[in-house]
Every structure is written in C-alpha cells, then in structure tokens.
Amino acid sequence: MTPEPSRPPRLVASDLDGTLLRPDGALAPRTAAALVRAAELDIDVVFVTARPPRWLVDLAPHVAGHGVAICANGAAVIDVATGAVISEHGMPPELVTQVARQLREAWGAEHVHLAVESADGFAAESAFRSEHPVPPGSAVADRIEDVLTASTFKLLVKTSRPGGPSFALDLAGVLGDAALVSDSGAVGLGEISGPGVTKAATLARWAEARGIAREDVWALGDAPNDLPMLTWAGRSFAVANAYPEVLAAATDRCASNADDGAADVLELAVSLAVAREDRRERRSTLT
C-alpha cells in the first residue's frame, strides 16, 4: 500500500458491479450516506461502468440528483438523474458492420450472435439470448445491421462455437485494431467498443474539462476493464474480491464489495475533506 493520503481527492471514480454495489446489486446504506456527504464537501463522484444507460435508473436517488455516469465502458456520459446523454463516443454503423463481418468470417455466421446498446436502447439478432430482461419493444432482426442506429455504444457478442479459456482474448485476436474488446467479467459475453474507447479515456476527458489533475483522482474497481482507469488515476483501490491482475495493479486495496469496501474509501475521502475544512477555519480565525 502507498502512504496514507494526506489530502482529499477532488474526484472519486467508481465502478459499480463488483465494486460500489454489494453482490446482490444493492447499494449499502453506508455507501449511500457517504455519496451524499462527499457531494456536500464538493468531492465529485462519477460512476464508471460497463452498464448501458438504461441500467442506471435505480441509482439516481443516490447521487444527490446531480451525479453523472460514464457508462458502456466509456462510450457515453449520462446524467444519472435524467438519463440524458451528455456526450458519447459510439461506433458508426459502418464500423459495427465491419466488426460483425469479421466475426462471422472467422467463426461462421451460424455461431455468432450479436446485440447492441445505444442511446435508443437495446436491439438484438433473433438468435441472441440475453441473461437480463429485454425491454418491451426492443428491435429484433436476423442480422444486427438491420437494426443499427447512428451511434452504437457497445456491441455485445455471444457464440455457440467452442472457445479458449478467455473469450475476450479470442475476440481481440479476431478483431485486431478494428475495435476494442473489454472484459467486465461477464461469462460468455464479449463487449466491443470503438478504438480507444475505455473507461480511462473518457474519465480523463471529464476530469480535464473540470481542471482536475489525475493526481487528485481516486478510482475503485474489480475487473479487467477497470485496469486502464486504475492505472491512470493518481490513487487506485482494488476491492478484495477483484481479479488478481487488478489487485496487483492498484496502488491500494480495500474491503470487498460484500463488506462495503467502497464505503470505507468514500468515508476516508470525506474525513480528509472535513480535516481540510477544519484547518482552513483555524487559519481564518488566526488572521
């Protein structure tokens, strides 16, 4: 572990599933209270997640009505309270079509099943089977090319072909530099974004636009898709349940998501901010 921090962060960036949220997907009361207190002390908290925008509705009450989320592995920034897209870095239809073609040529069209997430919601090929409830009215077609919108946040891939030990590595081997494959820990599901689209890249742009240096950013995560963000931030926390490579890369560790490790980190940030305000008040009384 690096030395104990002496100053609070200006920005805390946290992954959701496996990190900020408990194993059942709930937000711990301690964590919810710490999020509110951080906002009161002018510490920005940004959710940084593989989730699409439509999966963030239930978190709106916990970001004091003004929080933002970097979602779909960095492809979009949304206002959590309203669901409005603030900025996006989606894939054009031509790129999605190219990726689909490469996968079908490499693995056989009968073995490749695709879906997409966009600002318009979920759409899928008829052979794609989602592990999560599909919103009523979602577009379905035999080929994903027939239901694409102007911008795709994330292309989802499933396959019926036998694969190696890492689905993400298999995908990356097929696509090369054409697109970026992220591994958020979802078994048997590939997640594809445009080249250069990562949690870290979008977080860096968000911080820079607000004059926040990377040294003043704390980041929390658990999965391989969090690695770019964790290695970019000035201080990084891997929850105890994180992947081994994430535990090795982070500057610090905290308790697991089952034991409210994110709450520990947020409360540390809050305590440092309170101490800073106390010092300022003492100085002001002496002048």
Side-chain angles (χ1 to χ4, degrees), residues 123-285:
E125 293 181 342
S126 53
F128 186 93
R129 297 290 178 264
S130 176
E131 302 297 325
H132 303 279
V134 174
S138 296
V140 178
D142 289 339
R143 290 168 62 88
I144 201 65
E145 293 92 323
D146 296 329
V147 289
L148 295 178
T149 57
S151 179
T152 293
F153 293 160
K154 186 164 60 170
L155 176 65
L156 306 174
V157 184
K158 289 191 173 184
T159 180
S160 53
R161 66 180 281 277
S166 172
F167 189 23
L169 288 178
D170 289 347
L171 277 173
V174 171
L175 298 180
D177 296 331
L180 188 79
V181 178
S182 296
D183 181 359
S184 61
V187 178
L189 179 68
E191 302 179 38
I192 298 173
S193 306
V197 176
T198 66
K199 290 183 174 185
T202 304
L203 176 63
R205 282 191 293 268
W206 178 263
E208 182 180 7
R210 284 148 189 80
I212 300 174
R214 61 189 295 182
E215 292 78 13
D216 292 319
V217 178
W218 290 6
L220 298 87
D222 74 302
N225 65 329
D226 295 318
L227 282 169
M229 174 178 72
L230 296 175
T231 55
W232 174 82
R235 198 172 193 102
S236 55
F237 296 82
V239 287
N241 54 287
Y243 281 62
E245 58 267 42
V246 176
L247 291 168
T251 62
D252 295 84
R253 298 185 183 184
C254 61
S256 73
N257 66 326
D259 294 321
D260 303 341
D264 292 337
V265 175
L266 288 166
E267 288 169 355
L268 174 59
V270 165
S271 68
L272 291 170
V274 170
R276 178 192 59 194
E277 294 304 311
D278 288 345
R279 289 193 298 270
R280 287 176 177 173
E281 289 183 9
R282 286 196 297 270
R283 283 197 297 266
S284 66
T285 60

Side-chain angles (χ1 to χ4, degrees), residues 21-64:
L21 304 179
R22 285 178 167 172
D24 63 358
L27 190 70
R30 275 183 61 207
T31 307
L35 287 169
V36 173
R37 187 66 179 123
E40 293 171 347
L41 292 165
D42 295 324
I43 300 172
D44 285 338
V45 178
V46 175
F47 300 151
V48 190
T49 177
R51 288 187 178 203
R54 62 189 178 91
W55 285 12
L56 297 172
V57 175
D58 292 342
L59 294 173
H62 302 297
V63 287

Side-chain angles (χ1 to χ4, degrees), residues 17-110:
D17 299 287
T19 302
L20 191 78
L21 304 179
R22 285 178 167 172
D24 63 358
L27 190 70
R30 275 183 61 207
T31 307
L35 287 169
V36 173
R37 187 66 179 123
E40 293 171 347
L41 292 165
D42 295 324
I43 300 172
D44 285 338
V45 178
V46 175
F47 300 151
V48 190
T49 177
R51 288 187 178 203
R54 62 189 178 91
W55 285 12
L56 297 172
V57 175
D58 292 342
L59 294 173
H62 302 297
V63 287
H66 60 265
V68 300
I70 294 170
C71 61
N73 287 320
V77 181
I78 69 163
D79 181 294
V80 179
T82 66
V85 177
I86 298 170
S87 65
E88 59 100 357
H89 311 282
M91 293 181 285
E94 297 79 13
L95 178 55
V96 180
T97 298
Q98 174 191 337
V99 169
R101 182 175 63 250
Q102 286 182 238
L103 290 171
R104 292 175 185 135
E105 289 175 352
W107 292 348
E110 71 276 15

